[in-house]
Amino acid sequence: MSWPARSMAETLALLTAPGAPFEMVETEALGRRVRSYVHMPETLRAVFDASRDFGARDLLVYEGERLSFAAHWRAANAFGRALIERFGVKKGDRVAVAMRNYPEWSICAWGALAVGAVLVPLNAWESSATLALLLEDCGAKVVVVDGERLARLAEARPLSAALVVVRAEAPAGVVAFDTLIGDADDETPLPDPSLAPDDLATIFYTSGTTGRPKGAAGTHRNILTNYVNTGFRAARAAVRRGSPVPGAPSTASRRILLPMPFFHVTGFHSTLMPALANGATIHLMYKWDVAQALDIIAQERINGLNLVPALAWQLSDAIAAGGCDTSSVDLVGYGGAAAAPELAQRMCDAFPNAWPGQGYGATETSSLVAANSHEDMMTRPGSVGTAVPCCDVRIVDGNGRNAPAGAAGELWVRGPNIVTGYWNMPEATRECFADGWYRTGDVARIDADGFLTILDRVKDMLIRGGENIYCVEIEDCLASHPDVLEAAVFGVPERVLGEVVGAAVRLREGAVADLEALAAHVRARMAAHKVPVAIDFHDMPLPRNAAGKLLKREMRTMLINRNGRAE
């Protein structure tokens, strides 16, 4: 049978038909009309309580420790009870978590959500001052930390939140987590907090690469919408091949390797939450290590990987060196940062039984807006795919009007996955959210079949002598050079043209390419005004934040300090 057996329009119609997994109904959510999925749990509490039915199956595996679904439910249940009885937490109170991806992260998160508290996952790598600022901003009643974060918060001003510590000795004034849950053998469900789909569930702070982090305030509907969206790309691929429309999400045991942090929406919304609902097992790592990751893949027979592109490249390089059993992997997903089109084929080469998959979204969209995978990914490796069924997308020009078909502009998104706004930041909320539309800040274009291509960030786009230059396409070109391991492109000040193309590049081990060689590589493939005129070569990995996004302002400053302006 030739591919595709069905057009994208026919596929979408079948997947959203009455009784199909992505059937939708128009409803009102917090004063705006949205298309909400019919086949979706109403609250996260419902997902949590149902998870105990997976019993002895492993939910989390960490450094030899294994936590079953049943044991996780009991521990989270005990923690939720302690929140109510020990700390007086009520529905709507904020409970923050700041730690590595320990199993306790999930226990504390789900215990808080189950009692109707608002979960506030904090970036574990923030400074003491920023952690204290965010705790004050969200008004956390309780914060759970590991030993590293406890030491960091000791440097900050006194906190109003009660402190609970895991995997470390509790000093005076701090409560040890183990004393709160005891043997965790109580099977009595927690009190019903009377949750509704549009109640606030989480505050996820944005990565803050360009300023103070903003707290994206998400509802149960937001997160559960994303849960349904996580099944879209596989269902679309099956129907595109001519297979029947799939039924309910599979609860067959799957094993997933997750090096992404839980405090990122990819880690929580798109991995931990679906795993709890579908009975999947998540394998965690203390920190990223390529050799250890390959050992886990082989020994635990991992089926799926959730990565950022930089980690995917590292794995493909290590696998190319030989001696790695990756035969169990059937899907390699990546997102959170721009990915070069070549990465899709590299994943197929590294994982011969797997399809690549790419997701696009943001904290403000509760993770997924669009997804690409399987045959569609190999046909359009530079695209992030089509929008998930519940989302409307539009491309807007500089005057706030819809851009002509196929033209580039800012991507705006509308749907039931869009958060309510930014916590305690009404001006920023008005600036980024209007009439239900979220202004992503990404420059994109849409082809005739609805496939989105992300060209750049609006604020990252450089303007050379009046010409708009999209950094991502130059990064993709540099990444296609065999000597380049990773690349970042940004504007460098220039007296006459305003800006010219600068880059930070990390070469593969033993590579010898220089500015002239890389400039020639770009010149042979792109217009002359897009050729880098200054490149800062890095021996170490390019700086990224915890979500995997390149810290371009930092690299731009480093290049200017080392090489001066391009004048």
Side-chain angles (χ1 to χ4, degrees):
M1 182 183 293
S2 62
W3 183 90
R6 295 188 175 105
S7 70
M8 191 58 71
E10 184 181 6
T11 297
L12 187 61
L14 287 170
L15 287 172
T16 57
F22 300 94
E23 178 187 357
M24 293 172 286
V25 62
E26 188 170 292
T27 188
E28 183 168 310
L30 298 175
R32 65 181 192 237
R33 303 297 293 178
V34 297
R35 296 193 308 277
S36 191
Y37 292 122
V38 172
H39 308 293
M40 183 176 83
E42 286 203 345
T43 68
L44 293 169
R45 170 64 184 266
V47 173
F48 170 70
D49 280 342
S51 70
R52 68 191 300 195
D53 293 340
F54 292 110
R57 186 185 296 185
D58 289 335
L59 169 62
L60 298 170
V61 179
Y62 171 76
E63 301 279 319
E65 302 174 22
R66 293 179 179 270
L67 183 69
S68 72
F69 278 83
H72 175 270
W73 183 89
R74 288 194 299 269
N77 208 56
F79 181 70
R81 202 173 305 280
L83 288 176
I84 296 171
E85 297 176 358
R86 177 74 177 266
F87 302 106
V89 169
K90 299 179 178 61
K91 178 182 175 181
D93 286 342
R94 274 75 64 202
V95 174
V97 178
M99 68 175 83
R100 291 180 181 269
N101 274 14
Y102 293 126
E104 289 88 345
W105 198 107
S106 181
I107 291 169
C108 295
W110 285 99
L113 290 165
V115 300
V118 176
L119 171 67
V120 186
L122 296 180
N123 185 331
W125 316 125
E126 292 284 12
S127 67
S128 59
T130 301
L131 284 173
L133 174 69
L134 298 183
L135 288 171
E136 181 180 346
D137 180 65
C138 73
K141 196 163 190 173
V142 179
V143 55
V144 191
V145 297
D146 55 17
E148 293 167 276
R149 262 41 66 178
L150 181 63
R152 202 167 295 172
L153 285 174
E155 304 169 7
R157 59 184 179 276
L159 302 173
S160 59
L163 269 172
V164 177
V165 65
V166 306
R167 300 190 181 233
E169 186 176 345
V174 178
V175 180
F177 171 78
D178 290 342
T179 65
L180 294 177
I181 66 168
D183 295 331
D185 56 1
D186 189 349
E187 298 284 348
T188 307
L190 290 162
D192 181 2
S194 301
L195 292 167
D198 295 317
D199 284 341
L200 192 63
T202 58
I203 300 173
F204 272 75
Y205 282 92
T206 60
S207 51
T209 58
T210 58
R212 173 183 167 177
K214 300 186 288 290
T219 66
H220 291 258
R221 187 192 304 274
N222 293 157
I223 299 165
L224 291 164
T225 296
N226 184 73
Y227 159 57
V228 178
N229 287 336
T230 59
F232 175 62
R233 62 187 179 191
R236 181 187 61 195
V239 174
R240 290 270 275 167
R241 291 191 199 108
S243 299
V245 174
S250 171
T251 56
S253 180
R254 282 186 61 78
R255 297 167 296 281
I256 301 165
L257 177 62
L258 177 72
M260 296 280 286
F262 283 145
F263 59 74
H264 188 276
V265 289
T266 300
F268 184 80
H269 292 37
S270 289
T271 308
L272 179 57
M273 198 263 128
L276 199 76
N278 296 338
T281 301
I282 300 176
H283 292 258
L284 304 172
M285 303 177 69
Y286 178 77
K287 65 178 180 179
W288 174 251
D289 179 270
V290 175
Q292 184 187 15
L294 291 173
D295 284 343
I296 293 173
I297 290 169
Q299 293 171 14
E300 298 285 351
R301 306 300 294 163
I302 296 297
N303 307 123
L305 306 175
N306 282 6
L307 308 168
V308 293
L311 304 189
W313 281 110
Q314 291 175 27
L315 278 178
S316 71
D317 285 344
I319 292 167
C324 304
D325 180 6
T326 63
S327 59
S328 62
V329 179
D330 57 34
L331 183 65
V332 182
Y334 48 86
E342 287 78 13
L343 186 54
Q345 185 59 53
R346 286 292 292 268
M347 291 299 95
C348 288
D349 295 340
F351 301 93
N353 296 328
W355 287 104
Q358 183 173 13
Y360 165 78
T363 307
E364 292 86 348
T365 63
S366 310
S367 197
L368 286 174
V369 167
N372 200 3
S373 67
H374 298 78
E375 294 92 343
D376 278 314
M377 184 82 174
M378 302 312 297
T379 304
R380 293 178 171 90
S383 169
V384 296
T386 62
V388 292
C390 66
C391 278
D392 297 318
V393 295
R394 59 190 289 215
I395 304 297
V396 178
D397 65 19
N399 297 313
R401 296 188 291 263
N402 287 341
E410 185 180 10
L411 175 64
W412 289 18
V413 184
R414 180 175 63 184
N417 54 333
I418 305 302
V419 301
T420 62
Y422 295 124
W423 181 264
N424 285 341
M425 299 183 79
E427 290 185 12
T429 298
R430 284 191 293 271
E431 180 182 348
C432 296
F433 302 86
D435 298 324
W437 291 95
Y438 167 59
R439 304 172 181 179
T440 68
D442 287 323
V443 180
R445 61 169 174 258
I446 304 177
D447 70 16
D449 290 325
F451 280 81
L452 278 163
T453 299
I454 306 300
L455 301 171
D456 213 339
R457 291 289 296 166
V458 170
K459 294 179 180 178
D460 285 347
M461 181 182 71
L462 68 96
I463 303 175
R464 178 190 181 278
E467 286 285 333
N468 291 347
I469 295 178
Y470 303 119
C471 298
V472 170
E473 62 178 351
I474 307 173
E475 290 168 354
D476 291 347
C477 185
L478 287 169
S480 70
H481 191 285
D483 281 359
V484 174
L485 183 58
E486 51 181 345
V489 171
F490 39 79
V492 179
E494 201 272 344
R495 180 170 52 86
V496 176
L497 297 171
E499 287 183 306
V500 291
V501 178
V505 168
R506 182 187 174 204
L507 298 176
R508 300 184 185 280
E509 187 175 351
V512 296
D514 56 11
L515 171 60
E516 184 177 342
L518 295 183
H521 179 78
V522 175
R523 190 177 295 109
R525 292 160 177 79
M526 307 188 77
H529 67 281
K530 298 180 181 180
V531 176
V533 301
I535 295 180
D536 194 12
F537 289 92
H538 291 239
D539 295 328
M540 301 297 290
L542 298 185
R544 299 173 183 267
N545 66 13
K549 291 182 172 60
L550 291 162
L551 299 176
K552 292 191 177 184
R553 290 199 303 173
E554 182 178 318
M555 286 182 273
R556 178 177 181 270
T557 299
M558 292 169 68
L559 185 150
I560 292 172
N561 289 342
R562 291 177 184 172
N563 303 308
R565 293 173 178 266
E567 296 181 332

